[in-house]
């Protein structure tokens, strides 16, 4: 038996944020994949460099890579999820994407897209390299800059 625990709109916003990790964040190296816009993911690293991971997904497949030891010992200085785990995930994903049709994440009703400044999230006027189109649940989208006192 299944039950809905989050709305399709919240799930879409979370998916969109995780797509941003690949498109503009810690996993930008994945942009060499032809279908990087149809992928989302998240890197992870422990404070002491003992574990590195990347979990990535498309609409129909989720897979993760963990790099570490059975005992908690460092795997190497600055061995982050993007540096140590993402390359293995990319190799796997390249092979699994090869024979699959292109898939897009479905956009549920009540989602609106607003051009925003990628560094602030405030509404953008015009276009440019610092402007991204971001999805919001209708009624929660930014409408202006916050007032300062």
């Amino acid at each position: 038996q299944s039950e809905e625990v989050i709305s399709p709109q919240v799930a879409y916003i979370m998916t969109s944020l995780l797509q941003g990790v690949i498109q503009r964040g810690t996993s930008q190296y994945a942009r060499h994949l032809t279908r990087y816009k149809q992928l989302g993911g998240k890197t992870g690293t422990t404070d002491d460099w003992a574990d590195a991971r990347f979990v990535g997904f498309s609409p129909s497949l989720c897979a993760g890579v963990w790099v570490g030891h059975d005992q908690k010992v460092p795997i190497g200085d600055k061995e982050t999820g993007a540096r140590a785990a993402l390359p293995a995930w990319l190799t796997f994903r390249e092979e699994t994407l090869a024979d699959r049709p292109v898939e897009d994440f479905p956009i549920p009703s009540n989602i609106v897209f607003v051009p925003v400044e990628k560094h602030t999230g405030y509404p953008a006027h015009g276009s440019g390299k610092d402007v991204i189109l971001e999805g919001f649940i209708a009624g929660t989208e930014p409408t202006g800059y916050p007032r300062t006192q």
Side-chain angles (χ1 to χ4, degrees), residues 41-111:
K42 183 68 181 97
T43 58
T45 310
T46 55
D47 292 339
D48 54 7
W49 313 105
D51 297 284
R53 59 200 161 277
F54 180 79
V55 177
F57 60 97
S58 67
S60 63
L61 179 67
C62 180
V65 172
W66 168 78
V67 177
H69 300 284
D70 289 341
Q71 308 303 317
K72 191 172 182 173
V73 294
I75 57 175
D77 188 42
K78 305 221 182 337
E79 287 297 324
T80 63
R83 188 170 148 174
L86 179 60
W89 185 87
L90 289 173
T91 299
F92 163 77
R93 201 59 189 134
E94 236 168 0
E95 291 175 17
T96 59
L97 284 173
D99 298 327
R100 299 183 67 93
V102 174
E103 302 173 280
D104 288 312
F105 292 101
I107 302 170
S109 63
N110 210 27
I111 297 291

Side-chain angles (χ1 to χ4, degrees), residues 4 6 13-14 21 54 72 78 88 91 101 104 115-116 121 123 125-127 137 144:
E4 185 177 287
I6 61 173
I13 297 300
M14 292 302 302
V21 172
F54 180 79
K72 191 172 182 173
K78 305 221 182 337
T91 299
D104 288 312
V116 298
H125 304 288
S127 61
I137 298 172

